[in-house]
Amino acid sequence: MSSYWYSDRENVIVNTAVAFLIYDCVEEAGFTVAPWGGGGKALQDYRYGQWSRSLAARNGAMPEIRVSPGVMDQQPERPALSAQQQEMEVKCTSSVGRAGLPELLEGLAGDTSIQNQVVQISVALTDRDPEYLAYRSTWEDCVEAKGLKLAAADSWSFQDGSSKEDEIRTALIDVDCKEASGGARIPYDILAQYQAAQMKNHQAELNALAEEKTAAVERARRILRDHGVADARL
C-alpha cells in the first residue's frame, strides 16, 4: 500500500510547494518572507515492534528515523517576525490550505480514504489470523521466559528499562524471540497478504488515487520550478 501514499521524497516536494504558495500570499500582503527550507523525516514501520537486529543494536526500542533531503537549503535562523506578519502568515496558511495538493500520508487523524480503509481492515484481519495468533503466543512465551514484561496485554513493546543499555538489551531479546518464533517479519508479511487481497477489491479506486498522486507531485514540481528550485533538486 505504500505506493498509494507519498514517498518521503514526494512528501518533501509537495509540502515545500504548499509552503511557497503560502509565502506568495504573505508577500502579496506586503511582507518579506524568508522560506525555511530543509528536509523531512519519517519513521521506520513499527506496527509490530522491532524487526531488525542491527536497528535494535543501534536504537533499542526506538524506531529508525529516515531523513529525506530538502529541495532548498535550510536557513540557520529565521528573522524575527512582526506581530502583523505573524497574523498574516496564519491567515495565508488558512486561506491557501493544501492548495489542492492532497495530504497522502498514512496514519493521519480522521483519514477516511480508501487506502486507509484497506489498511485498517487488513490490520483487523491480521489481529484474528490463526498464524498471527500462534506466532504472537510463541513470542510472548519466549520474551516472558527471558524476564521481559509487556507494556500492555496487546502491545509489542515492553515496560521501560532504566537505561539505554537496558533498552538495547530488551530490543535484542525481542528480535531474537521473534526469529525463534519463525521470523521477525512474519506479522508484517501476514498484514501484506491481507492488504493485497483488499487491494484487489478496490483496484479501480486505487488506480485513480495513484493518478491523483502522480498529478499532485508533478504540479508541486512545477510550482517549485516557478519559484527557482533547480530540476536537479526535484
Side-chain angles (χ1 to χ4, degrees):
M1 285 297 299
S2 59
S3 61
Y4 298 101
W5 277 283
Y6 295 135
S7 68
D8 297 345
R9 183 64 174 164
E10 289 170 339
N11 193 46
V12 167
I13 288 171
V14 172
N15 286 343
T16 307
V18 170
F20 268 120
L21 296 178
I22 294 171
Y23 299 152
D24 289 347
C25 171
V26 176
E27 289 180 342
E28 287 172 6
F31 297 98
T32 300
V33 175
W36 281 91
K41 296 180 181 179
L43 297 177
Q44 160 198 1
D45 188 350
Y46 213 66
R47 187 184 304 273
Y48 302 112
Q50 186 59 268
W51 46 260
S52 165
R53 201 171 201 286
S54 61
L55 293 181
R58 182 163 69 241
N59 300 331
M62 297 299 295
E64 179 87 341
I65 296 177
R66 302 185 303 270
V67 178
S68 182
V71 297
M72 55 189 294
D73 293 332
Q74 186 170 7
Q75 296 182 349
E77 291 184 9
R78 195 173 188 223
L81 304 181
S82 67
Q84 292 86 351
Q85 181 165 344
Q86 291 181 49
E87 181 181 357
M88 183 53 62
E89 291 200 4
V90 170
K91 287 182 178 179
C92 285
T93 299
S94 177
S95 64
V96 171
R98 291 293 300 179
L101 296 167
E103 207 166 7
L104 300 176
L105 292 178
E106 185 175 4
L108 292 177
D111 184 2
T112 59
S113 65
I114 186 61
Q115 68 269 37
N116 195 52
Q117 292 178 41
V118 166
V119 169
Q120 294 306 311
I121 291 170
S122 300
V123 168
L125 291 171
T126 299
D127 286 346
R128 300 194 297 268
D129 182 88
E131 181 184 357
Y132 170 86
L133 292 172
Y135 174 89
R136 181 174 172 93
S137 177
T138 302
W139 170 77
E140 285 182 357
D141 290 344
C142 178
V143 295
E144 288 174 5
K146 300 286 187 181
L148 303 184
K149 296 184 181 298
L150 294 174
D154 59 349
S155 174
W156 286 90
S157 60
F158 302 92
Q159 295 179 7
D160 292 339
S162 58
S163 66
K164 190 63 179 180
E165 289 75 17
D166 284 342
E167 276 191 29
I168 290 174
R169 181 186 67 83
T170 295
L172 290 172
I173 292 173
D174 172 20
V175 174
D176 287 344
C177 282
K178 285 173 178 170
E179 292 293 349
S181 301
R185 293 179 181 266
I186 281 182
Y188 296 98
D189 291 341
I190 296 171
L191 175 64
Q193 291 170 12
Y194 280 114
Q195 285 186 355
Q198 288 294 312
M199 288 167 65
K200 289 180 181 179
N201 297 330
H202 299 282
Q203 197 59 61
E205 296 162 276
L206 292 171
N207 289 344
L209 177 66
E211 293 176 4
E212 179 185 8
K213 187 190 85 161
T214 298
V217 173
E218 184 50 43
R219 179 171 166 240
R221 287 193 171 107
R222 289 198 300 271
I223 292 170
L224 294 176
R225 290 187 186 102
D226 290 343
H227 288 80
V229 177
D231 282 351
R233 295 211 168 194
L234 300 178

